[in-house]
């Protein structure tokens, strides 16, 4: 690895290594059903773990079962007629203050929406969640939250981001089966080198590409992206009103409006200038410059837990703060 490659990998590695400490407690109703008591035996009342920001909850369920649930049931003997095998990955779901958490959202994105974005002062650490192993909330969450469902969902999102970036899914479809398995395994086991080797095929670094406008003029380098895959998650008026009335109120995940738009690298309004976060936000929400300036100045944009200046070029964010699915996920909340 040369010096330039090492310098480029350094910020990506730091983003990849970002963790959220989580404190888990088993739902009282599930504990009563499985253990005949809402009070868990020592030392299983609470389970702590570090979860990568870029990962997903279905990828940590096996660890939770092996390190917490199974030993707890083995020690307690469980309830007659119940066996550990009855707890299926697809039945496991997570809740934060009464809100079921979307298992197909990156963990870091969920934290930014529900905790970091609504924090008045220091955000909640560790993040206190309730674990459920019964009564999956069909209608509130996408059904089938197991590992294989997450793998399939993740590859579908990778194909979507590839299409937005390149106008086709050819790069994903051309991956060998072994490359796809390495890509998924790198994410599941949180091995940066395994993941990044395949990511580099799908999303070449800025040093390896040339602008699309130059593609027809000179044949050097790879053509650059047609657009940047990104999604904005904007807290709507209902969520902001609740926060205004009660500063301690937590954001509601249902009070976020999700919008995505294929954002070009170069601004269409300002010739020769790169598209900024503010430009991308206006495109996604069709806000005029005059109205947008007043609105934007009263909002904070979060990416990977970082408050991003609105004038940041979107191409820089796409290079440095992407999630594992190759999308930029940007959370917009009131300042």
């Amino acid at each position: 690895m040369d010096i330039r490659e090492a310098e480029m990998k350094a910020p990506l590695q730091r983003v990849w290594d970002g963790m959220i400490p989580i404190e888990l407690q088993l739902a009282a109703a599930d504990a009563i059903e499985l253990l005949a008591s809402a009070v868990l035996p020592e030392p299983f009342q609470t389970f702590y773990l570090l979860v990568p920001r870029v990962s997903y909850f279905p990828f940590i369920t096996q660890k939770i079962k092996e390190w917490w649930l199974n030993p707890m049931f083995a020690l307690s003997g469980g309830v007659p007629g119940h066996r550990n095998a009855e707890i299926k990955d697809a039945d496991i779901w997570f809740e934060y203050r009464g809100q079921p958490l979307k298992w197909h959202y990156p963990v870091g994105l969920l934290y930014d929406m529900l905790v970091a974005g609504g924090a008045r002062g220091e955000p909640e650490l560790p993040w206190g969640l309730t674990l459920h192993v019964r009564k999956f909330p069909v209608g509130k969450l996408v059904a089938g939250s197991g590992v294989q469902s997450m793998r399939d969902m993740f590859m579908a999102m990778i194909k979507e981001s590839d299409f937005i970036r390149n106008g086709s899914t050819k790069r994903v479809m051309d991956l060998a089966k072994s490359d796809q398995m390495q890509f998924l395994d790198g994410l599941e086991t949180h091995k940066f080198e395994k993941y990044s080797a395949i990511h580099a095929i799908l999303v070449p670094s800025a040093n390896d590409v040339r602008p699309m406008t130059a593609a027809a003029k000179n044949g050097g380098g790879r053509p650059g992206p047609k657009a940047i895959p990104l999604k904005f998650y904007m807290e709507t008026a209902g969520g902001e009103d609740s926060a205004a009335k009660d500063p301690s109120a937590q954001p509601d995940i249902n009070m976020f409006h999700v919008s995505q738009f294929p954002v070009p690298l170069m601004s269409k309004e300002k010739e020769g200038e790169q598209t900024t976060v503010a430009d991308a936000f206006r495109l996604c929400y069709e806000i005029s410059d005059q109205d947008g300036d007043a609105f934007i100045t009263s909002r904070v944009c979060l990416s990977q837990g970082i408050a991003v200046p609105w004038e940041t070029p979107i191409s820089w964010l796409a290079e440095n703060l992407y999630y594992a699915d190759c999308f930029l996920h940007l959370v917009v909340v009131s300042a």
Side-chain angles (χ1 to χ4, degrees):
M1 182 188 301
D2 60 27
I3 294 176
R4 175 173 291 183
E5 187 178 356
E7 288 176 345
M8 289 196 64
K9 274 195 171 183
L12 300 180
Q13 180 87 59
R14 286 197 291 270
V15 169
W16 179 267
D17 289 342
M19 298 280 184
I20 297 175
I22 288 180
E23 176 187 84
L24 279 180
Q25 293 187 341
L26 184 63
D30 293 352
I32 291 171
E33 179 180 343
L34 295 170
L35 302 171
S37 173
V39 180
L40 302 184
E42 291 279 2
F44 298 102
Q45 288 90 347
T46 307
F47 184 66
Y48 294 91
L49 72 167
L50 286 172
V51 179
R53 273 186 148 270
V54 298
S55 192
Y56 300 83
F57 281 123
F59 290 151
I60 66 170
T61 54
Q62 192 61 35
K63 184 182 295 184
I64 291 170
K65 288 170 68 176
E66 289 181 1
W67 293 0
W68 186 35
L69 297 180
N70 290 351
M72 176 172 60
F73 294 140
L75 179 67
S76 66
V79 175
H82 288 283
R83 301 186 311 276
N84 295 349
E86 290 182 339
I87 297 180
K88 301 175 182 177
D89 288 353
D91 292 332
I92 294 176
W93 54 286
F94 298 80
E95 174 195 322
Y96 177 60
R97 300 195 177 185
Q99 299 184 62
L101 298 181
K102 298 178 184 292
W103 56 266
H104 57 291
Y105 277 24
V107 173
L109 171 61
L110 289 167
Y111 183 81
D112 287 349
M113 294 172 70
L114 297 175
V115 183
R120 305 297 185 261
E122 291 298 318
E124 178 184 348
L125 288 173
W127 190 15
L129 302 180
T130 300
L131 177 74
H132 294 263
V133 296
R134 290 287 187 268
K135 298 179 181 177
F136 189 88
V138 178
K140 293 185 177 181
L141 296 179
V142 178
S145 62
V147 172
Q148 189 55 52
S149 295
M150 187 65 249
R151 290 173 181 161
D152 295 341
M153 180 79 77
F154 179 76
M155 290 308 299
M157 291 184 285
I158 289 293
K159 290 176 185 177
E160 182 183 358
S161 65
D162 189 30
F163 185 84
I164 293 172
R165 185 178 290 102
N166 301 306
S168 76
T169 60
K170 181 173 173 30
R171 290 191 182 181
V172 177
M173 300 305 293
D174 284 351
L175 288 177
K177 185 67 175 178
S178 58
D179 288 339
Q180 292 185 38
M181 296 307 296
Q182 176 180 327
F183 195 49
L184 286 166
D185 186 60
L187 175 60
E188 289 182 47
T189 60
H190 200 60
K191 297 292 193 302
F192 179 71
E193 294 300 330
K194 296 180 75 170
Y195 169 86
S196 62
I198 309 304
H199 179 270
I201 298 172
L202 300 176
V203 188
S205 70
N207 291 336
D208 298 328
V209 302
R210 54 191 162 86
M212 273 292 185
T213 53
K217 298 179 182 178
N218 36 52
R222 298 185 185 185
K226 291 183 176 182
I228 298 297
L230 67 79
K231 295 181 182 181
F232 280 104
Y233 302 77
M234 183 177 68
E235 189 177 20
T236 59
E240 293 174 355
D241 291 344
S242 296
K245 293 176 183 176
D246 180 6
S248 64
Q250 294 296 318
D252 184 340
I253 198 167
N254 297 310
M255 292 295 181
F256 282 85
H257 181 271
V258 183
S259 178
Q260 70 179 90
F261 190 86
V263 176
L265 270 72
M266 304 304 293
S267 173
K268 294 182 179 180
E269 307 296 331
K270 308 164 189 174
E271 188 175 353
E273 294 186 18
Q274 294 188 61
T275 302
T276 65
V277 177
D279 295 332
F281 184 79
R282 293 188 187 98
L283 280 172
C284 281
Y285 287 97
E286 299 181 343
I287 302 174
S288 66
D289 286 351
Q290 184 175 0
D291 294 336
D293 288 343
F295 186 87
I296 285 171
T297 54
S298 65
R299 300 297 188 279
V300 174
C301 181
L302 297 172
S303 179
Q304 296 283 8
I306 300 167
V308 177
W310 286 100
E311 64 272 16
T312 305
I314 209 72
S315 59
W316 187 92
L317 287 186
E319 279 280 311
N320 295 281
L321 295 181
Y322 60 81
Y323 276 84
D325 60 4
C326 301
F327 270 88
L328 276 175
H329 296 285
L330 305 176
V331 177
V332 178
V333 295
S334 56

